[in-house]
Every structure is written in C-alpha cells, then in structure tokens.
Amino acid sequence: MTDSSGLQSGRPRSLSGIQATSDSLHLGNYIGALQQFVEQQETHDAFFFIANLHAITVDQDPAQLRERTLRTAAQFIGAGLDPQRSTLYVQSHIPAHTQLGWVLECTTGLGEAQRMTQFKDKSGKNEHVSLGLLTYPALMAADILLYQADVVPVGEDQRQHLEMTRNLAERFNHRYGDTFTVPEAHILKSTAKVYDLQDPTAKMSKSAQTPAGLIEILDDAKSITKKIKSAVTDAGTEVTYDPEGKPGVSNLLTIHSALSGRSIEDIVAEFEGRMYGHLKVALAEVVVETLRPLRERTLELLDDPAELARVLDAGAETAGAIAERTIADVYDRVGFLTR
Ligand code: ATP
Ligand code: MG
C-alpha cells in the first residue's frame, strides 16, 4: 500500500542506480550493488534506476546507449528484482532529476566537486573531460533526494558521493527549511569492493582497461572459468585472507564468500594445505553456478523488449509522481515563480 507521500506503509525507502555504460554488468556491480538491491526489495520500499544521464558524462554511442539501457534493465530483473515489488525506471524518463540536479549544482562548491576521487580518476583517464563529469555528484544527490530515500545501497567507491549527498541535503534544509530526508549509505563491509582480477589493487570497473580482469555477469561458463584461472595471485602458496599482503587471493576469497554465503574463515579452512589453483577451480564453479540462471533469465527478457519497455513505463509513472512533488516543493522554496 502506498500512502499520499508515495511511501509504502512503514517501510524505509531504499534507492540506487547503475549506469548504462556496458553490455553486461560485472561481478563488482552484482556483489557491491545488485545483490543488496534484491535483498532490500524484501524489507524496503524499493526504487532502482538505470542511470543513462550519468552515462553521458563520458562519451557514448547513441544506439549503444539505448541498447545498454534495456540490457541493464533486463539484468536487474534477471538478477531477481521483481517489478511488482521494486519500482524500476530509467533516469532520463523523469525530468525532475535534471531539474533538481541544477539546483544542487548551485548548492555545491567548485572545490568540493573537484575533491571527489571519482572525478580525479576519470578525468585523469579521459582525454576530453566534460563539465558533467565534475557535476556528476550533484546529479547523483538529486537522484537520491528527489525520492526522500532513507538508505542507498552502493559499493565503497560511492561512499564519498553519498557523504556529499548528505552534506547537500543538510545545507539545503538549513537554508530553506526541512525539505529532504538525509540518506544513509548501505555499504557492506565485507563485499564493498571487488577488485580487477588482473590488477587486484584496482576496482573492477565497466570502464576498466583490462577485459581479462573483469567478470561480466553475462559471460558464459567457459570464459568465466578462463578468467578466474588466469587471475593474478600473490607470492607464496598458502591460501590466507590478507588484503594488504595478498590482494589477489583475498579478492578471490571475497568473491567466493559473497556468492556462496560462506564465511571467509570457513573457505580458508577448506583450502588449508592446498594451492591457489584449487581455490580458483572451486571459485569458478561457484561463479558459474550463481550466474547461470541470471544469464538465462536476462537473455530471455531481452527477447521481449516490448515487455521490458512496459515495465520501465510503469516504473516511470510511480517514480515520476513522487519526483514531481519534491521538485515542486524545491522550486517553491528556492523562490521560482509558479506559472
Ligand atoms: P563505470 O566504470 O562506468 O563507472 P562501474 O563499474 O563503476 O562503471 P557504476 O554504474 O558506476 O559501475 O556503479 C554501479 C554500482 O556498482 C555502484 O553502487 C558502485 O558502487 C558499485 N560498484 C561498481 N564497481 C564495484 C566494485 N568493483 N565493487 C563493488 N561495488 C562496485
Ligand atoms: Mg562507477
């Protein structure tokens, strides 16, 4: 049941998004974000969106962006998000995201935005740096604050942006009166950051330079197994969890634990006296078996783009109604004349 504020009775609201920047999400997105989304739809009033506005902060091909938006939606559902229980929508379908984004850009200091590590990382990697890459966190704050979200499930790399969202909400509330819920980040300590298999000191990322280091959730069994077998491991032979000294092996253990639901200690005990190779074989099996049904469902959904479009339309209806109420209130508080 939804009350007049759009809030499902009694449940805190959870909201998050994933960018439409690749054909397939990767294990980091799945473990750091999507798995949390699927859990939270049981306990929260859940809103999850495909971030296509954020995607164009770096260069995108239009046909590919359209395709990737649908593919990302299919993976949301394939991973277990149920459109009956979660509101699933496309960011650009709700104009209030950009409307509030502008107001929040004007609430953000230039130095504050320039300090964001994602901006520093991505602007360092791209030849052409768009202004949107700098203002990204203000739009992200708008994505969240528009819906009065209580919790935002994300990976560790988004912690700093979440902190900025909280600051912007508090700043706006202080200046214009209570308007926004100040959201909490939901970042699971144990699985917050999955690392690249070829460079276990770098975050696994859609825009990564090394495809071999990235397990895509739509990869087939053969390529998953191959990538895990050739994962970079560390000096020594003993399977132990030591993120500082053994980042490669520790990353494999983290992935295993996140997908199998077993504790790291339990997995380490299983491989006592055995080699890294044994852990890799076992992990490949866990990953393949976890992703197999997800991949099958996603490919099925992609065969029926009209149905996907219907789901996203319905999501935009629900989300749009809440977003419009917030932006009307914000415009009024800021002093914009109504028509
Ligand atoms: P891009 O390289 O285009 O930024 P990305 O792989 O970082 O893509 P995003 O769409 O930016 O993916 O992030 C979606 C969600 O996945 C966010 O909540 C983010 O924190 C999480 N996430 C991304 N990479 C990882 C990772 N390696 N480990 C854990 N969580 C991750
Ligand atoms: Mg990212």
Side-chain angles (χ1 to χ4, degrees), residues 31-106:
I31 292 171
L34 208 40
Q35 239 185 357
Q36 266 56 256
F37 299 179
V38 173
E39 268 181 32
Q40 294 207 338
Q41 77 177 345
E42 305 302 331
T43 47
H44 289 68
D45 182 25
F47 286 72
F48 302 114
F49 66 94
I50 298 116
N52 57 349
L53 297 175
H54 284 291
I56 65 162
T57 52
V58 297
D59 204 26
Q60 302 295 340
D61 170 75
Q64 202 169 45
L65 179 59
R66 249 188 293 279
E67 170 72 15
R68 288 175 168 180
T69 303
L70 277 182
R71 291 181 74 89
T72 306
Q75 290 168 82
F76 276 18
I77 303 170
L81 287 180
D82 172 3
Q84 302 301 322
R85 280 181 288 172
S86 291
T87 301
L88 308 179
Y89 58 104
V90 176
Q91 188 184 27
S92 67
H93 285 170
I94 319 287
H97 286 251
T98 40
Q99 292 174 302
L100 181 58
W102 173 251
V103 174
L104 294 178
E105 277 176 38
C106 298

Side-chain angles (χ1 to χ4, degrees), residues 3 34 38 41 58 73 80-81 88 93 115 121 124 133 167 172 174 208 217 222 243 265 279 299 304 309 312 318 332:
D3 68 24
L34 208 40
V38 173
Q41 77 177 345
V58 297
L81 287 180
L88 308 179
H93 285 170
R115 275 196 298 278
D121 285 353
L133 201 57
N167 290 338
F172 192 99
H174 184 71
I217 66 177
K222 215 169 117 195
E265 300 80 72
L279 172 64
L299 296 179
D304 192 356
L312 296 173
T318 309
D332 185 46

Side-chain angles (χ1 to χ4, degrees), residues 193-210:
K193 197 160 180 182
V194 174
Y195 293 90
D196 189 295
L197 297 183
Q198 289 299 316
D199 176 7
T201 57
K203 172 181 106 70
M204 191 180 279
S205 207
K206 284 183 241 138
S207 46
Q209 303 303 316
T210 55

Side-chain angles (χ1 to χ4, degrees), residues 19 21 26 29 118 122 136 157-158 203 205-207:
Q19 296 190 74
T21 42
H26 56 76
N29 302 136
Q118 177 175 291
K122 290 195 176 181
Y136 183 113
D157 63 307
Q158 294 303 318
K203 172 181 106 70
S205 207
K206 284 183 241 138
S207 46

